[in-house]
Amino acid sequence: MDEVKRPDRRAERSRRTREKVVEAARELFVAQGYGATSLQEVADRAGVAVQTVYFVFGNKRTLFKDVVDTAIAGDAEPVATMDREWFRVACAEPTAAGQLRAHVHGTREILGRVAPIMPLIAAAAATDPQIAAQWPDGPDPRYTVQHAAAQTLAGKPGARPDVSVQTAADLLFGLLSPQLYLLFVQDRNWSPEEWEEWAYATLAAQLCTTLR
């Protein structure tokens, strides 16, 4: 009889500790800002020793990068957005409108996590060159995702034939941006659900011939 593999309790404890620290850091960075938050405060919020934070992350810059990456992905797994289940399911929708609705919904869930920390990234990068270096110049990863979605959408039943992939990608990139999400949800007090419906309706009018 095969030996039953026991769960790696040490690895599980390490994973939970990392998650607690990242969540505590995210809350403090959003509330206080990157520069004003110390690793001791993060450790206190997470309920761990500050030495543990240093051991796991090394320094505050690395922790900040983990906070951003986890917000984008929704977890700590090293899986690119285009390999995520929600993106693959959206792209598998048989119609353009079906893909667009699923894509807007999945993007809204990401923006709900990412948008509040976008101003932090800009502020931290402006004061710390090593933070800025963690996001080198080059193609915007968010645009890469939207372009891939636009390519998949093109040619599906219900897609407007007169809209190029480039234009569709630009529309997705602009209307599904963190800045526009914050404008409506944070500044104008829309609910995330209201923003999602507006974004879908606005994009569907530009990209689709039918809403089904």
Side-chain angles (χ1 to χ4, degrees), residues 160-179:
R160 281 185 54 175
D162 58 329
V163 177
S164 68
V165 170
Q166 181 69 49
T167 298
D170 289 347
L171 289 168
L172 292 171
F173 182 72
L175 268 72
L176 302 181
S177 67
Q179 294 84 356

Side-chain angles (χ1 to χ4, degrees), residues 21-188:
V21 173
V22 168
E23 178 60 21
R26 187 193 67 80
E27 292 172 356
L28 287 168
F29 289 153
V30 170
Q32 303 178 171
Y34 171 79
T37 299
S38 70
L39 290 185
Q40 182 64 63
E41 289 176 300
V42 173
D44 291 343
R45 174 70 67 93
V48 301
V50 71
Q51 290 85 355
T52 299
V53 179
Y54 279 108
F55 177 78
V56 174
F57 296 96
N59 55 55
K60 192 165 70 167
R61 296 185 189 96
T62 302
L63 174 56
F64 184 72
K65 180 71 161 52
D66 265 48
V67 168
V68 175
D69 290 346
T70 301
I72 294 171
D75 56 47
E77 296 300 317
V79 180
T81 299
M82 289 184 290
D83 294 325
R84 293 272 166 178
E85 182 178 6
W86 76 267
F87 187 85
R88 291 188 287 102
V89 168
C91 289
E93 286 286 337
T95 67
Q99 179 189 336
L100 182 61
R101 183 171 286 281
H103 183 74
V104 171
H105 178 71
T107 302
R108 189 258 286 183
E109 293 189 334
I110 292 176
L111 290 175
R113 299 188 299 265
V114 173
I117 66 174
M118 291 301 291
L120 297 177
I121 298 174
T127 59
D128 189 335
Q130 292 188 50
I131 289 263
Q134 294 188 81
W135 288 278
D137 293 335
D140 189 320
R142 194 172 66 80
Y143 181 81
T144 300
V145 171
Q146 303 300 355
H147 191 273
Q151 283 183 309
T152 304
L153 186 142
K156 282 188 176 181
R160 281 185 54 175
D162 58 329
V163 177
S164 68
V165 170
Q166 181 69 49
T167 298
D170 289 347
L171 289 168
L172 292 171
F173 182 72
L175 268 72
L176 302 181
S177 67
Q179 294 84 356
L180 202 56
Y181 179 87
L182 284 177
L183 177 67
F184 283 97
V185 175
Q186 179 174 287
D187 295 352
R188 302 311 308 158

